[in-house]
Amino acid sequence: MSTRSTARRVIAALAGVLLAGSMAACGNSDTGGDSGDGNDKIVLGFSQVGAESGWRTANTTSIKEAAAEAGIELKFDDAQQKQENQIKAIRNFIQQKVDVIAFSPVVESGWDTVLKEAKDAKIPVILTDRAVDSADKSLYKTFLGSDFVKEGRLAGEWLVEQKKAASGPVNIVELQGTTGSAPANDRKKGFAEAIAANPNLKIVASQSGDFTRAGGKQVMEQFLKANPKIDVLFAHNDDMGLGALEAISAAGKTPGKDITIITVDAVKDGMQALADGKFNFIAECSPLLGPQLMELVKKVKAGEEVPARIETEETTFTQEQAKEALPNRKY
Ligand code: AHR
């Protein structure tokens, strides 16, 4: 046997040993990659929407704290509200062979290709907070988050009850969340369905404020200029509602009195505005998803079955309830 062919055999044998070692480190090769760094901690790649709201900041904190607590190595990426950044981040996670990928999709559509890439790489994906509209449910293991349609419906039902004695039109303006996002689509739908119970309740203007305070303020200014009679504001989150407060006061109107204000989230600043009588009602959306997410990460990494949908428990707040709840509010 020539020296060259002996060398080839030695290299092939070594490659076999290395491959077997890396597959053992992977455990079930259907449930994750191997980052190959000799670290046996579970590695989670998480792509966050951005930092657009108080809710989002609380959600990021919850995820970072829960990962540290659970001993999970977190690779965190902030997509700055851009789908292309999230796709790039997910591709990076695939390349780095993380064990599990989780993300909160900025918009609902357009995920099939990248999710298929993760599936082909045998890296399980968990959706948190927001859903995708992919028909192929095998592209992700589970979806952990709120029922946004229900939040919109609860907001609408409260309004129907408040305005049941109204004899004339009640003009509503709506500040939508990020265009194409699940919470914007679903809250709009739930609210519209609920207010259909009273034909006096009419949405006279509806536009996106992108879930930000600045967006809420700017769009509310336009609403106020274009609509001489606004009775109600439904804002898809607290931050847009808080931005709108500035526009309403600047227009010489009293928020919470001249204009009834309904929002979603119940973050501290929103709850303070509610307790102060500037908001009138909030449908809660909890950002504290970190601990449940880490449990799911461990389970999918271990190849265990998980429920396809895990819904967050939530409530609603009136002004009186906000005063009571505020001192113990965690976010
Ligand atoms: O997806 C959850 C929503 O996103 C929150 O209601 C909003 O505040 C955030 O930006």
Side-chain angles (χ1 to χ4, degrees):
M1 197 185 298
S2 73
T3 321
R4 201 184 271 171
S5 78
T6 308
R8 259 195 234 122
R9 278 168 196 236
V10 170
I11 289 167
L14 270 176
V17 169
L18 283 175
L19 184 65
S22 84
M23 285 181 70
C26 257
N28 177 349
S29 62
D30 270 354
T31 57
D34 172 17
S35 55
D37 58 3
N39 179 355
D40 58 4
K41 270 186 168 184
I42 296 175
V43 181
L44 168 66
F46 185 86
S47 167
Q48 180 60 289
V49 168
E52 74 281 5
S53 63
W55 189 100
R56 190 62 56 196
T57 309
N59 180 245
T60 293
T61 303
S62 171
I63 285 160
K64 287 186 174 170
E65 285 179 358
E69 178 89 0
I72 288 172
E73 185 181 327
L74 179 67
K75 292 184 186 291
F76 183 90
D77 185 88
D78 176 340
Q80 300 180 345
Q81 296 249 69
K82 291 201 173 75
Q83 182 175 35
E84 68 255 35
N85 290 347
Q86 285 200 300
I87 292 175
K88 214 184 286 167
I90 293 169
R91 290 202 167 121
N92 277 338
F93 295 147
I94 296 171
Q95 217 168 15
Q96 292 170 55
K97 299 187 174 153
V98 300
D99 295 302
V100 181
I101 293 172
F103 78 117
S104 177
V106 62
V107 290
E108 279 190 286
S109 308
W111 298 102
D112 287 29
T113 306
V114 73
L115 289 180
K116 177 96 183 18
E117 290 167 24
K119 190 178 174 190
D120 290 346
K122 300 192 183 341
I123 301 178
V125 172
I126 298 174
L127 303 178
T128 79
D129 164 36
R130 297 182 181 182
V132 298
D133 64 4
S134 304
D136 181 357
K137 306 291 176 218
S138 78
L139 294 177
Y140 54 91
K141 295 284 177 195
T142 181
F143 165 39
L144 163 69
S146 310
D147 181 341
F148 298 134
V149 179
K150 184 168 154 198
E151 292 166 355
R153 193 185 322 121
L154 290 170
E157 283 170 358
W158 179 84
L159 186 63
V160 168
E161 180 57 27
Q162 297 302 304
K163 302 289 179 187
K164 63 181 178 213
S167 51
V170 175
N171 290 348
I172 305 166
V173 294
E174 181 181 38
L175 280 168
Q176 296 180 37
T178 303
T179 306
S181 70
N185 294 342
D186 293 355
R187 287 172 187 163
K188 180 168 185 49
K189 179 173 184 277
F191 185 77
E193 280 170 7
I195 64 166
N198 181 349
N200 278 327
L201 303 182
K202 283 205 177 65
I203 298 181
V204 294
S206 181
Q207 205 179 304
S208 174
D210 213 12
F211 280 131
T212 65
R213 281 192 198 201
K217 181 176 179 217
Q218 194 201 331
V219 177
M220 191 67 202
E221 283 166 356
Q222 292 167 23
F223 284 165
L224 286 159
K225 273 188 202 136
N227 300 277
K229 178 181 177 290
I230 296 175
D231 303 302
V232 177
L233 162 65
F234 172 46
H236 287 189
N237 77 345
D238 287 339
D239 278 80
M240 291 189 295
L242 291 162
L245 289 181
E246 294 179 41
I248 293 168
S249 303
K253 294 184 191 285
T254 309
K257 293 208 163 57
D258 296 332
I259 299 180
T260 300
I261 301 179
I262 306 167
T263 67
V264 183
D265 277 355
V267 295
K268 264 198 184 136
D269 289 354
M271 290 287 273
Q272 190 63 60
L274 185 58
D276 293 345
K278 295 175 182 164
F279 285 178
N280 302 80
F281 187 73
I282 303 182
E284 186 185 39
C285 177
S286 174
L288 306 180
L289 302 177
Q292 272 175 298
L293 173 61
M294 298 313 146
E295 281 309 305
L296 288 167
V297 167
K298 286 181 186 169
K299 284 188 176 158
V300 297
K301 169 64 182 146
E304 287 176 35
E305 281 299 310
V306 291
R309 172 79 170 100
I310 299 161
E311 204 182 303
T312 318
E313 275 179 38
E314 281 151 0
T315 185
T316 58
F317 294 97
T318 59
Q319 292 174 338
E320 282 315 306
Q321 289 165 332
K323 280 181 206 156
E324 244 174 73
L326 247 181
N328 303 314
R329 205 74 189 145
K330 289 201 187 73
Y331 53 92

